[in-house]
Amino acid sequence: MEQSMALQRRRTLYRDVVTILSRSHADRNVYPSAGVLFVHVLEREYFKGEFPPYPKSGDASNDPITFNTNLMGYPDRPGWLRYIQRTPLSDGVLYGSPTAEHVGKPTVIEITAYNRRTFETARHNLVINIMATEEFPLPYQAEFYIKNMNVEEMLASEVLGDFLGAVKNVWQPERLNAINITSALDRGGRVPLPINNLKEGVYVMVGADVPFSSCLREVESPHNQLRCSQEMEPAISCDKKFRAQFHIDWCKISLVDINKVVPVYITRPDPGTGILPDFGEYKPPSEFLKSRDYFSDFLVTLGVPSAVAVVLFFILGYTMCFRREGVEKRNMQTPDIQLVHHSSIQKSSKELRSMSKNREISWPLSTLPVFNPVSGEVVPPIHPDNYETTSMPLMQTQANLQNQITIPQQRPSGDNYVMSTFRRLEVNGIPEERKVAEALNL
């Protein structure tokens, strides 16, 4: 009874478990030609049938699907094959140009599709069988830089066909093939800003069996080369045949005649068997290390720099203390008129500094009690004792002596009086009331 209940629980548990497995398609074979552009589109619609439908009807096309491509048995793709997919809602594209070295060698590419909604995967293999061609390589090759295209836009068959048609009208060859397409980012270009619908740019290489036309040769003229060096657009007569759809940077066009190219042969070293030669039995170092004396290292590290520093210190001290010219020697070499001028300036500066420090200057005569000989009264001072001396000018003139008092003075010839101004005088710091005494004796 207990066993049957446990078995029923296991069945119920298994019903609730969702197992995510990877589905695999049959191998798909393609046959590109060497030296000709190969483009294979990984369509999302091709893999949608392998994933469960979307819960909401009509929304199955919104499943985000990404692709991962690699050479079977290796983590990455071959060097000639590139892959691009902008967003999980767009198709992926495999593109590249196989060379003659890959002819006769089947290249198996593992393609894994990831459903980002259900996290399921679908996998199939793409077998690339590269075929040889008599037209490879075409002797005349031209590479154009198109500024208003991204690589996935240029890989579309309609756009690439329009471009080859425009080149054929200008070049007029018998055979014309697209050899390779490369994004400008793979050539060191910068990612454009997301403004004004800027594009990354793409390089398109085409090959033909006839020499370059006169229109393509116009780029090599000295006038156009000068305009390119000044970052100006060259004057190309056939640019109007491309301008309607393709904006070509004619300064970056490359014209190559492989018949004139000198081949460079690189000698590769013999890889050998991969087995290291026999050097005998390995002998590890001894477990007992010899002791080492670090005293000599200490002297070299600290003693020598310290000795050099001490010597430099004594040389500097001798130069600063015993090699000075002195004031007397300086004065002897200075003209007398310059010394007198300097001394007068220094003396005046010291006097002004001492006067500014000592604000307790002598009080003016107007601040002292003055006796009026006419009325017989003693006139009190104009300013009280708390008179602020800091506001008093250091050097007073007749015009700014506001604190002076005029005292009437009798003339000797008559009874009329004249006004006399008195000032307080100091002799060696002692105030002198000479004028006041003379006034009292009148």
Side-chain angles (χ1 to χ4, degrees):
M1 185 64 178
E2 295 179 356
Q3 293 180 355
S4 60
M5 292 178 64
L7 182 60
Q8 186 176 1
R9 291 177 181 175
R10 290 180 183 177
R11 291 177 179 176
T12 305
L13 180 63
Y14 291 157
R15 291 175 184 173
D16 299 335
V17 176
V18 178
T19 305
I20 300 177
L21 299 176
S22 174
R23 297 176 174 84
S24 178
H25 291 272
D27 293 348
R28 188 175 182 179
N29 291 270
V30 292
Y31 300 90
S33 300
V36 180
L37 179 65
F38 165 72
V39 180
H40 180 75
V41 181
L42 305 179
E43 299 179 354
R44 296 171 60 252
E45 297 292 338
Y46 182 78
F47 295 90
K48 284 180 181 179
E50 301 297 327
F51 302 124
Y54 200 71
K56 297 181 181 180
S57 60
D59 293 340
S61 59
N62 291 332
D63 281 352
I65 299 176
T66 58
F67 300 94
N68 183 31
T69 59
N70 63 281
L71 183 64
M72 179 176 287
Y74 295 89
D76 203 356
R77 298 174 298 276
W80 61 271
L81 189 62
R82 297 185 179 93
Y83 167 74
I84 185 172
Q85 184 185 15
R86 287 290 177 180
T87 64
L89 300 178
S90 60
D91 296 335
V93 182
L94 285 170
Y95 65 100
S97 180
T99 60
E101 299 177 357
H102 305 92
V103 174
K105 300 177 182 179
T107 303
V108 181
I109 304 298
E110 294 181 344
I111 301 175
T112 305
Y114 296 91
N115 190 321
R116 296 301 179 181
R117 178 180 62 87
T118 62
F119 299 100
E120 289 191 351
T121 61
R123 181 178 300 164
H124 77 88
N125 297 333
L126 178 67
V127 182
I128 303 176
N129 302 283
I130 302 174
M131 308 297 294
T133 176
E134 297 179 357
E135 301 177 358
F136 177 80
L138 294 174
Y140 301 97
Q141 299 177 2
E143 186 178 53
F144 299 86
Y145 175 62
I146 305 175
K147 298 183 290 185
N148 65 328
M149 288 287 175
N150 289 334
V151 62
E152 70 275 7
E153 299 173 350
M154 197 66 198
L155 290 172
S157 59
E158 298 83 2
V159 179
L160 184 59
D162 294 342
F163 179 75
L164 293 179
V167 174
K168 190 172 184 180
N169 292 335
V170 174
W171 202 338
Q172 297 181 354
E174 295 182 2
R175 295 192 304 270
L176 180 68
N177 292 329
I179 298 177
N180 197 6
I181 292 180
T182 308
S183 174
L185 301 182
D186 297 335
R187 298 283 189 92
R190 300 182 62 181
V191 178
L193 297 175
I195 56 176
N196 299 331
N197 197 20
L198 296 178
K199 303 294 184 178
E200 298 174 355
V202 60
Y203 289 89
V204 181
M205 178 177 287
V206 297
D209 56 345
V210 297
F212 304 109
S213 63
S214 58
C215 174
L216 299 179
R217 290 288 187 181
E218 291 178 1
V219 184
E220 300 177 351
S221 64
H223 175 69
N224 288 329
Q225 291 295 325
L226 178 61
R227 293 179 64 90
C228 289
S229 63
Q230 297 175 353
E231 299 183 357
M232 300 173 61
E233 292 187 2
I236 306 298
S237 59
C238 57
D239 180 59
K240 58 184 179 180
K241 297 182 179 181
F242 297 91
R243 182 63 63 177
Q245 188 176 1
F246 307 100
H247 295 172
I248 298 177
D249 189 348
W250 292 99
C251 292
K252 294 185 179 180
I253 189 174
S254 175
L255 305 178
V256 178
D257 185 0
I258 63 175
N259 295 326
K260 299 180 181 180
V261 176
V262 179
V264 178
Y265 299 97
I266 302 176
T267 58
R268 298 181 179 179
D270 186 9
T273 60
I275 302 176
L276 295 176
D278 186 12
F279 292 102
E281 184 180 358
Y282 174 70
K283 295 180 180 180
S286 176
E287 297 180 357
F288 303 97
L289 299 177
K290 296 181 180 180
S291 60
R292 181 179 176 182
D293 186 13
Y294 292 95
F295 182 74
S296 58
D297 298 339
F298 171 76
L299 292 179
V300 174
T301 306
L302 297 179
V304 175
S306 301
V308 173
V310 170
V311 172
L312 294 178
F313 174 76
F314 280 108
I315 294 176
L316 181 62
Y318 173 77
T319 304
M320 296 183 64
C321 298
F322 300 98
R323 299 292 297 177
R324 299 182 63 182
E325 296 182 353
V327 178
E328 296 181 357
K329 185 176 181 180
R330 183 196 63 187
N331 294 341
M332 292 177 61
Q333 297 177 355
T334 306
D336 295 339
I337 185 63
Q338 187 175 354
L339 290 176
V340 172
H341 181 65
H342 175 72
S343 178
S344 61
I345 295 176
Q346 188 176 12
K347 184 177 179 181
S348 301
S349 301
K350 290 181 179 180
E351 185 177 358
L352 290 175
R353 291 193 187 98
S354 62
M355 293 174 66
S356 62
K357 291 180 180 178
N358 185 15
R359 294 289 182 162
E360 296 296 335
I361 61 175
S362 59
W363 290 87
L365 194 60
S366 59
T367 60
L368 298 177
V370 180
F371 174 76
N372 192 339
V374 178
S375 61
E377 297 179 358
V378 178
V379 181
I382 297 178
H383 298 284
D385 296 337
N386 56 354
Y387 176 70
E388 185 180 359
T389 60
T390 56
S391 62
M392 185 183 303
L394 296 179
M395 301 180 65
Q396 299 180 353
T397 60
Q398 188 68 23
N400 60 11
L401 293 178
Q402 302 176 0
N403 299 327
Q404 294 179 351
I405 297 178
T406 57
I407 300 176
Q409 183 178 1
Q410 186 178 6
R411 291 184 178 180
S413 59
D415 296 335
N416 296 329
Y417 293 90
V418 296
M419 306 304 294
S420 177
T421 302
F422 296 91
R423 297 183 60 187
R424 186 180 182 183
L425 303 177
E426 291 187 2
V427 178
N428 297 328
I430 302 174
E432 182 181 11
E433 310 295 343
R434 184 171 55 193
K435 282 290 184 179
V436 178
E438 293 178 357
L440 294 177
N441 293 329
L442 292 177

